[in-house]
């Protein structure tokens, strides 16, 4: 997976006050919302946006990994990469179908991805330069995704929460296989160790950005929390991630490329260096190193796979006619 | 024909004998055979089921949320408490019944 702090939502709860109050009372009582229940339009729209961004991220997220499947160092590593990639496509499909319960079609959502209108997690717009990048994506990228997704298993919208339960069951494998590949590199030759460290150096900051802008710069967090679409803020999730990751890095001799990273004894929190938000926003807006490649690859796959859909449609029509006769 | 027109199916899995089939999600497919294959690939990559049921979503008959009151409230413990075991007061000596 890969969900990001919600991007580009200007929606504020509007509409009929009665409905909003009734709805809020249900949320506050811990009730889940199901597809045909009454819900404020802004809740529906916010969910469609968040879920479609999330699903797109799962799909686009396989491209950086697919780049190394044919050059995996052993057959075992190749098998695990392929299994993970199949899972990620599956995650996309779980979430698209959960989003469809809100009255949007998958075709519409995919169309928005292909036209460049829809966003997906910025982290996938960075290149995978060598095999070690796959190890780091599994360990840290999926590690960050897990932090984001576990709380979503308890989100207020039933179909999204249930899809997240399926997803989370599979993420642990993703993270562990990445960390294991990383351990192998860090137990290897000086060149292999250098490769591992270099990959962490390049991915650390894009992965920190996966949690989205700081809470102070994220005005929609409040609405998300109020409606229980979000149970933790971006900064809270980032903090949990750093806490979990620092000892894992230390254990295998990886240095986290942030000279300002320090543990504050008083607060019990990790303080980290400044995140380059200019870079974040430019990648979100399409200026990252691989934005163009990712969308181009997705469009190509869509166009070149069109015949499969057409053939299946022709076959289904023929079968239906035969059965009717 | 656009992808939109591909039928939606609901998928139910029985993890093992002795349990009921449970709804796990949905998928798009052109026909029943393709739906079954997609259900297997999408929802059972790790032995999650020993039996799969699929049904076209259009064929499901669901109660309407606005009928909830009339459908469900007659069995509400508040309205017909005598349908529930705790309504009946037994002598203290009877410990478990
Ligand atoms: Fe995923
Ligand atoms: Fe994953």
């Amino acid at each position: 997976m890969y969900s990001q702090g919600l991007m580009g939502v200007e929606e504020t709860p509007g509409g009929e006050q009665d409905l909003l109050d009734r709805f809020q009372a249900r949320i506050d009582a811990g009730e889940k919302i199901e597809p045909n229940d009454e819900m404020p339009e802004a809740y529906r729209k916010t969910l469609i946006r968040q879920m479609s961004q999330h699903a797109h991220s799962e799909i686009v997220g396989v491209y950086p990994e697919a780049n190394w499947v044919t050059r995996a160092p052993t057959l075992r590593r190749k098998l695990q990469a392929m299994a993970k990639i199949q899972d990620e496509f599956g995650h996309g499909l779980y979430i698209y179908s959960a989003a469809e319960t809100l009255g949007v079609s998958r075709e519409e959502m995919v169309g928005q991805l292909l036209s460049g209108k829809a966003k997906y997690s910025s982290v996938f717009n960075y290149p995978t330069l060598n095999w070690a990048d796959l190890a780091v994506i599994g360990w840290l990228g999926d590690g960050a995704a897990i932090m984001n997704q576990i709380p979503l298993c308890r989100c207020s919208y039933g179909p999204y929460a249930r899809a997240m339960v399926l997803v989370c069951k599979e993420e642990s494998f993703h993270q562990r296989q990445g960390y294991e590949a990383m351990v192998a590199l860090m137990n290897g030759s000086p060149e292999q160790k250098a490769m591992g460290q270099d990959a962490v150096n390049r991915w650390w900051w894009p992965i920190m950005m996966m949690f989205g802008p700081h809470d102070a710069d994220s005005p929609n967090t409040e609405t998300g929390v109020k409606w229980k679409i979000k149970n933790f803020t971006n900064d809270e999730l980032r903090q949990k991630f750093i806490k979990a990751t620092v000892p894992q890095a230390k254990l295998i001799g990886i240095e986290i490329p942030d000279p300002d990273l320090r543990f504050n004894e008083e607060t019990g929190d990790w303080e980290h260096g400044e995140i380059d938000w200019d870079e974040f926003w430019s990648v979100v807006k399409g200026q990252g190193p691989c934005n163009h490649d990712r969308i181009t690859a997705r469009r190509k796959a869509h166009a070149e796979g069109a015949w499969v859909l057409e053939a299946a449609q022709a076959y289904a029509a023929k079968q239906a006619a035969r059965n009717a006769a | 024909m656009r992808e939109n027109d591909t039928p939606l199916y609901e998928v139910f899995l029985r993890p093992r004998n002795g349990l009921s089939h449970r709804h796990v999600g949905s998928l798009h497919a052109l026909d029943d055979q393709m739906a079954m294959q997609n259900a297997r690939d999408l929802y059972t990559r790790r032995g999650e089921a020993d039996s799969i049921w699929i049904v076209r979503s259009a064929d499901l008959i669901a109660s309407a949320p606005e009928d909830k009151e009339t459908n469900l409230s007659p069995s509400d413990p508040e309205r017909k408490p005598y349908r529930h075991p705790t309504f009946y007061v037994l002598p203290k000596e009877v410990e478990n019944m």
Side-chain angles (χ1 to χ4, degrees), chain A residues 12-213:
Chain A
T12 45
E16 202 200 323
Q17 196 55 43
D18 275 4
L19 167 62
L20 284 173
D21 293 344
R22 256 195 327 271
F23 185 74
Q24 194 62 49
R26 291 191 62 195
I27 298 278
D28 292 343
E31 279 184 47
K32 297 284 178 196
I33 308 304
E34 294 295 340
N36 294 323
D37 291 355
E38 110 181 316
M39 63 183 83
E41 193 49 23
Y43 177 81
R44 201 179 67 85
K45 279 196 177 152
T46 303
L47 271 173
I48 288 178
R49 193 162 332 183
Q50 176 168 337
M51 291 168 76
S52 58
Q53 281 177 9
H54 190 163
H56 298 331
S57 301
E58 301 283 357
I59 303 292
V60 177
V62 306
Y63 284 91
E65 297 189 280
N67 189 30
W68 283 90
V69 168
T70 56
R71 290 164 291 166
T74 64
L75 179 59
R76 182 178 182 276
R77 297 283 179 225
K78 186 174 183 162
L79 287 172
Q80 76 196 45
M82 290 194 300
K84 179 180 190 294
I85 286 170
Q86 196 188 11
D87 281 354
E88 303 297 5
F89 276 124
H91 296 177
L93 294 180
Y94 300 153
I95 304 166
Y96 280 133
S97 66
E100 283 189 297
T101 63
L102 291 159
V104 61
S105 72
R106 184 174 71 185
E107 189 178 53
E108 208 176 326
M109 291 184 277
V110 169
Q112 289 170 353
L113 173 66
L114 298 180
S115 75
K117 186 174 169 241
K119 303 267 184 271
Y120 55 86
S121 188
S122 57
V123 75
F124 301 119
N125 292 313
Y126 291 84
T128 40
L129 302 183
N130 62 52
W131 166 255
D133 293 41
L134 252 67
V136 173
I137 287 178
W139 170 35
L140 299 178
D142 287 76
I146 289 171
M147 290 297 169
N148 261 328
Q149 292 177 129
I150 294 218
L152 286 173
C153 295
R154 287 179 288 112
C155 86
S156 60
Y157 190 56
Y160 194 23
R162 291 190 289 274
M164 282 302 109
V165 171
L166 296 182
V167 166
C168 285
K169 275 188 195 159
E170 298 178 340
E171 291 292 1
S172 176
F173 147 58
H174 298 175
Q175 191 184 21
R176 289 175 64 118
Q177 63 84 32
Y179 191 64
E180 193 206 63
M182 200 66 198
V183 170
L185 282 170
M186 298 311 285
N187 284 334
S189 65
E191 289 82 0
Q192 286 173 314
K193 285 184 195 178
M195 253 173 83
Q197 182 64 55
D198 165 67
V200 173
N201 293 350
R202 284 181 290 106
W203 286 94
W204 178 256
W205 292 104
I207 284 169
M208 291 288 278
M209 294 173 196
M210 277 177 75
F211 297 97

Side-chain angles (χ1 to χ4, degrees), chain A residues 31 36-37 83 86-91 93-94 97-98 100 105-108 110 162 166 170 173-174 302 309 312-313 315-316 319, chain B residues 1-6 8 22-31 33-34 41-46 48 62-66 68:
Chain A
E31 279 184 47
N36 294 323
D37 291 355
Q86 196 188 11
D87 281 354
E88 303 297 5
F89 276 124
H91 296 177
L93 294 180
Y94 300 153
S97 66
E100 283 189 297
S105 72
R106 184 174 71 185
E107 189 178 53
E108 208 176 326
V110 169
R162 291 190 289 274
L166 296 182
E170 298 178 340
F173 147 58
H174 298 175
H302 199 79
L309 179 62
Q313 283 166 341
Y315 179 76
Q319 291 296 108
Chain B
M1 185 159 135
R2 305 184 319 152
E3 192 199 10
N4 262 355
D5 304 321
T6 62
L8 192 67
R22 215 178 121 202
H23 183 244
V24 286
S26 44
L27 53 80
H28 286 276
L30 268 305
D31 57 37
Q33 188 190 358
M34 187 190 215
D41 290 351
L42 186 56
Y43 291 103
T44 70
R45 285 193 298 278
R46 291 179 178 79
E48 287 88 345
S63 61
E66 58 272 23
K68 200 173 150 191

Side-chain angles (χ1 to χ4, degrees), chain B residues 28-86:
Chain B
H28 286 276
L30 268 305
D31 57 37
D32 296 352
Q33 188 190 358
M34 187 190 215
M36 189 54 94
Q37 284 165 354
N38 288 356
R40 186 198 60 198
D41 290 351
L42 186 56
Y43 291 103
T44 70
R45 285 193 298 278
R46 291 179 178 79
E48 287 88 345
D50 70 9
S51 167
I52 304 173
W53 281 357
I54 50 166
V55 61
R56 282 198 186 208
S57 312
D59 291 338
L60 266 184
I61 298 150
S63 61
E66 58 272 23
D67 293 340
K68 200 173 150 191
E69 270 302 284
T70 39
N71 286 347
L72 304 178
S73 68
S75 52
D76 193 319
E78 306 274 293
R79 301 210 18 201
K80 295 193 174 170
Y82 52 86
R83 285 184 171 178
H84 298 264
T86 47

